[in-house]
Structure formats: C-alpha cells, structure tokens
C-alpha cells in the first residue's frame, strides 16, 4: 500500500514539474517573439534553474518568481560594489561611478520590490513602470564608467548584461498579462 502511495506522489510531482517546464518554455517563446531583446535560451535556463519558477502554475506566478530572481541579482550586485568600495580596491577615478552604480542598484532594488507588490495586487501597469525603471540601472552604470575623462571598462560589465536580461524577463511577461 505504501508503494502505491509513493508511486502516486511521484507521478503527481512529475506532472507539476512537467507543467512548470512547459509554462516556462511557452512563456519564454512568447516573450522572445514579442520582444527581440529577450534571449530565449537565457530565459529558459534562468527560469528552469530557479526553484520557485519550477513550481509556477500560472504566468502570474512566473512573473513573481522572475521578479524575485531579478531583485536577488540586483542585491548581489549591490554587495559586489559595497565590497569593492570597502576594500578600496579600485582606481582613484573609479570611486564616483562605483558610488553611482551602488545608488542605481539600490533604486532598482526598490523598483523591483514595488513591481512585485504591484503584480501581487494585479496592478500590471504600475508593475511595468517599476520594472522599466529598474531596467535603466545596468546600462546607466556602464555609461558612468565609459564617460570618465579616461574611459574605463566597468568591473560589472558581464553582471550588468545578466541583470538586464534578468529584469527584461518579468517585464516581458508582465506585458503579456495586460
């Protein structure tokens, strides 16, 4: 009898994960078709690697999971900047763009939290505006390094590309909810 119970539980869990994978793949395909900036492979891989996304049953749940993922990435970048500033491991004329990036990531984090609250209350217009505001942080951070007297390569170039894609995913999904 226990074996039968385990078998049924196994197939139910398998069905939940298969449904979530299908939702992820279908949603990413639609988002990439509507927004040429959304990279299909990145979208699928980042969501399939996220435990909360794996159990999503609806697009709204996927938006919430992907927005939380973007907020986590933003917090991670804030920690990187703080570490560099605290350890004073930067070129003399890099302090200003580093501090600017820190402020941008802080604002982006607040915007993503606002977006999360808006999605949960089904206010997709406000969520879209908040996500769009957060979307500016990575590129503006990069610009701060490029526009120095002596242009520099940002120490966060790769991370900013990832953050842009990570924010673009819930933004594209939210636009699909309107």
């Amino acid at each position: 009898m226990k074996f039968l119970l385990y078998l049924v539980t196994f197939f139910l869990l398998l069905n939940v994960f298969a449904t979530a994978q299908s939702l992820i793949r279908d949603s990413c395909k639609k988002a990439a078709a509507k927004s040429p900036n959304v990279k299909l492979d990145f979208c699928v891989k980042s969501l399939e690697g996220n435990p909360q996304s794996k159990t999503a049953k609806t697009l709204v749940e996927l938006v919430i999971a992907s927005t939380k993922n973007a907020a986590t990435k933003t917090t991670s970048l804030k920690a990187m900047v703080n570490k560099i500033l605290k350890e004073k491991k930067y070129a003399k004329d890099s302090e200003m763009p580093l501090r600017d990036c820190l402020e941008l990531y802080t604002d982006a984090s607040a915007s993503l939290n606002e977006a999360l609250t808006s999605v949960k209350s089904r206010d997709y217009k406000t969520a879209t505006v908040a996500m769009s505001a957060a979307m500016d942080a990575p590129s503006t951070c990069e610009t701060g390094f490029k526009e120095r007297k002596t242009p520099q390569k940002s120490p966060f170039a790769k991370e900013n590309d990832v953050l842009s894609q990570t924010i673009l995913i819930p933004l594209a999904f939210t636009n699909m909810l309107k």
Side-chain angles (χ1 to χ4, degrees):
M1 186 70 177
K2 276 187 176 180
F3 176 75
L4 184 60
L5 183 64
Y6 289 136
L7 189 62
V8 169
T9 303
F10 171 76
F11 281 112
L12 286 174
L13 285 173
L14 188 64
N15 186 37
V16 166
F17 288 123
T19 302
Q21 279 190 326
S22 176
L23 175 66
I24 289 169
R25 290 181 188 280
D26 291 345
S27 299
C28 286
K29 280 181 188 175
K30 287 178 187 171
K34 289 185 178 186
S35 175
N37 294 326
V38 174
K39 296 176 183 170
L40 177 60
D41 289 341
F42 180 88
C43 181
V44 172
K45 285 179 185 175
S46 69
L47 294 176
E48 286 182 346
N50 179 330
Q52 191 175 4
S53 297
K54 284 183 182 180
T55 58
K57 295 177 194 80
T58 66
L59 184 56
V60 172
E61 289 176 6
L62 208 50
V63 170
I64 290 169
S66 59
T67 303
K68 286 180 179 179
N69 191 31
T72 299
K73 294 276 187 210
T74 305
T75 301
S76 174
L77 269 168
K78 278 174 52 178
M80 284 176 67
V81 176
N82 269 325
K83 183 178 180 191
I84 291 170
L85 286 169
K86 281 182 182 176
E87 294 176 353
K88 299 192 185 293
K89 292 187 175 182
Y90 52 86
K92 193 175 184 179
D93 61 343
S94 293
E95 183 174 1
M96 185 63 134
L98 284 167
R99 293 202 181 280
D100 289 345
C101 289
L102 182 60
E103 185 177 334
L104 288 162
Y105 297 143
T106 300
D107 292 345
S109 185
S111 293
L112 289 168
N113 287 328
E114 178 186 350
L116 199 53
T117 301
S118 298
V119 168
K120 288 177 181 177
S121 65
R122 303 206 185 281
D123 180 1
Y124 304 127
K125 184 177 180 181
T126 301
T128 300
V129 169
M131 286 180 205
S132 295
M135 192 73 202
D136 290 337
S139 61
T140 305
C141 174
E142 290 299 311
T143 301
F145 283 94
K146 291 176 186 168
E147 292 183 349
R148 305 301 306 158
K149 282 184 183 177
T150 338
Q152 303 170 11
K153 182 172 168 44
S154 159
F156 317 112
K158 186 175 181 179
E159 291 84 359
N160 277 327
D161 287 343
V162 170
L163 180 60
S164 290
Q165 275 298 306
T166 306
I167 296 171
L168 194 57
I169 293 166
L171 178 59
F173 289 169
T174 303
N175 283 328
M176 290 164 40
L177 290 169
K178 291 180 177 180

